[in-house]
Amino acid sequence: MRRYLILSLILPLAAAAEPLPAPSSRPAGATLYIISPADGAAVKSPVTVRFGLSGMGVAPAGIALPNTGHHHLLVDLETLPPLDQPLPKNEHLVHFGGGQTETTLDLPPGKHRLQLILGDELHRPHQPPLISEPVTIEVQ
């Protein structure tokens, strides 16, 4: 009996939930890139990474404005995450939902791969996705 009561309370709420809006589109010609460090650079840790964006603006997560998004930095990922769902958050995929345009990373010595993906207000890649070229650095 108790199970049916709980379901009768939950099901109407689930049915009333509005579907998510479609992922944001992006203007043609927009580009996303890593300003620094340069590809192939030899650096010391901590490493400051500066993000570049042209043809769009930066807005914090949760703010839905046309032609805007926020950065997500891929650290040492060879394969892109699924681009048809919200980007996960972990030690290899760092979210900058506050609208940040740079970060400082403590990286161990060795080669590291950095790449950016722009996400919309719900952390979803734009359609089509806006992804930077990867940058490989050597931390000494």
Side-chain angles (χ1 to χ4, degrees):
M1 176 77 167
R2 188 173 193 187
R3 182 179 346 159
Y4 297 111
L5 176 61
I6 291 171
L7 284 176
S8 69
L9 294 172
I10 293 173
L11 288 177
L13 293 175
E18 293 186 32
L20 292 176
S24 298
S25 61
R26 66 170 176 96
T31 56
L32 181 64
Y33 50 96
I34 294 176
I35 298 169
S36 65
D39 189 36
V43 298
K44 292 185 180 185
S45 194
V47 179
T48 298
V49 182
R50 291 184 173 88
F51 315 147
L53 177 63
S54 177
M56 292 182 70
V58 175
I63 306 296
L65 294 172
N67 300 324
T68 65
H70 65 278
H71 298 95
H72 297 81
L73 180 64
L74 284 65
V75 180
D76 295 330
L77 281 180
E78 294 293 328
T79 305
L80 292 173
L83 300 175
D84 60 350
Q85 53 191 283
L87 296 164
K89 184 177 183 180
N90 57 49
E91 67 276 5
H92 296 286
L93 209 160
V94 186
H95 290 230
F96 295 93
Q100 304 93 317
T101 57
E102 72 175 53
T103 190
T104 301
L105 302 172
D106 286 313
L107 296 172
K111 288 195 178 213
H112 297 278
R113 186 176 193 272
L114 307 173
Q115 190 170 23
L116 291 168
I117 298 179
L118 200 69
D120 69 8
E121 72 275 9
L122 299 174
H123 301 283
R124 300 171 302 179
H126 291 75
Q127 295 303 317
L130 189 53
I131 304 169
S132 75
E133 290 295 324
V135 167
T136 301
I137 60 172
E138 176 83 29
V139 175
Q140 300 176 335

